Amino acid sequence: MKLKPLLLILLFLALTSSSSSAPLPNDAAALLHFKSKADLRNQLNFSPKSSSAFCKWKGVECSDSRAIRLIGEDLQLGGIFAPNTLSQLAELRLLSLQNNSLTGPIPDLSDLVNVKALFLNRNYFSGAVPPSLSALHRLKTVDLSYNMLAGSIPASLNGLDRLYYLRLDFNRLNGSVAPLNQSSLQIFNVSHNDLTGAIPVTPALSRFNSSSFC
Ligand SMILES: *[C@@H]1O[C@H](CO)[C@@H](O)[C@H](O)[C@H]1NC(C)=O
Ligand SMILES: *[C@@H]1O[C@H](CO)[C@@H](O)[C@H](O)[C@H]1NC(C)=O
Ligand SMILES: *[C@@H]1O[C@H](CO)[C@@H](O)[C@H](O)[C@H]1NC(C)=O
Ligand SMILES: *[C@@H]1O[C@H](CO)[C@@H](O)[C@H](O)[C@H]1NC(C)=O
Ligand SMILES: *[C@@H]1O[C@H](CO)[C@@H](O)[C@H](O)[C@H]1NC(C)=O
């Protein structure tokens, strides 16, 4: 007789807590982690309370309940793009964070193995062009223009044989232009940097005139 109320309480607790103890989808956890570091002005509506419906969050598009696109443009996102956040979205095809106020380095993105298009232009990213980009073999479009990136253009980008669009203009890159030579390259711009030396003579780069380089 004494146990019955206790059992009822336990049953009640088990039933009411079941929704909040459902495991957080990994993609939702990655998006929330990103927001916690990148969105200090609280412009994104990502919330732990709606994490089971993360596919309806602003800018998130899913396929088979996995995030395949994240478009967070023109939002005045202010903060950093922390490592091990969006890079955990293994099914992501398109990531655009263009025209925000993100600072600090671009993190290692080598886990974004499916990404085809990356727009991180018009922010305040500093540090290097991440060498990890060279591991993303599906990349077609990379726009890192209008940032504060320094150091050299990784020659390893030459391994991206589907690269169609590469914009690195308006940064602080130095050293020489990497001898890129993928026949896929159609849009290329490294102007307004601190690059020195002769433009490498490759069939791919010879398609572009001086406005791509200075
Ligand atoms: C960048 O975003 C702001 C809003 O945050 C907008 O007013 C501005 O026109 C955008 N600039 C570009 C170049 O898209
Ligand atoms: C590029 O700039 C960095 C420091 O900003 C410097 O250490 C490096 O030597 C420069 N590289 C070239 C090739 O000029
Ligand atoms: C560039 O690629 C072409 C073939 O697409 C090749 O003939 C040429 O040797 C390459 N040049 C360099 C500098 O790698
Ligand atoms: C250089 O190429 C761009 C894009 O193909 C073109 O719009 C521009 O008019 C060209 N500029 C010069 C100086 O030839
Ligand atoms: C390269 O970028 C600069 C600066 O954004 C721009 O003025 C120029 O027209 C661009 N050239 C090409 C060929 O895209």
Side-chain angles (χ1 to χ4, degrees), residues 146 167 169-170 189 191-192 211-212:
Y146 293 87
R167 284 194 61 179
D169 45 300
F170 274 100
N189 201 330
S191 70
H192 300 273
S211 107
S212 289

Side-chain angles (χ1 to χ4, degrees), residues 186 207-212:
Q186 297 295 323
R207 295 191 202 124
F208 305 104
N209 66 33
S210 62
S211 107
S212 289

Side-chain angles (χ1 to χ4, degrees), residues 181 201-203:
N181 192 21
V201 181
T202 69

Side-chain angles (χ1 to χ4, degrees), residues 106-110 128-136 152-157 160:
I106 298 171
D108 184 320
L109 299 175
S110 54
V129 173
S132 61
L133 292 185
S134 308
L136 307 178
S152 59
I153 301 172
S156 56
L157 293 177
L160 297 174

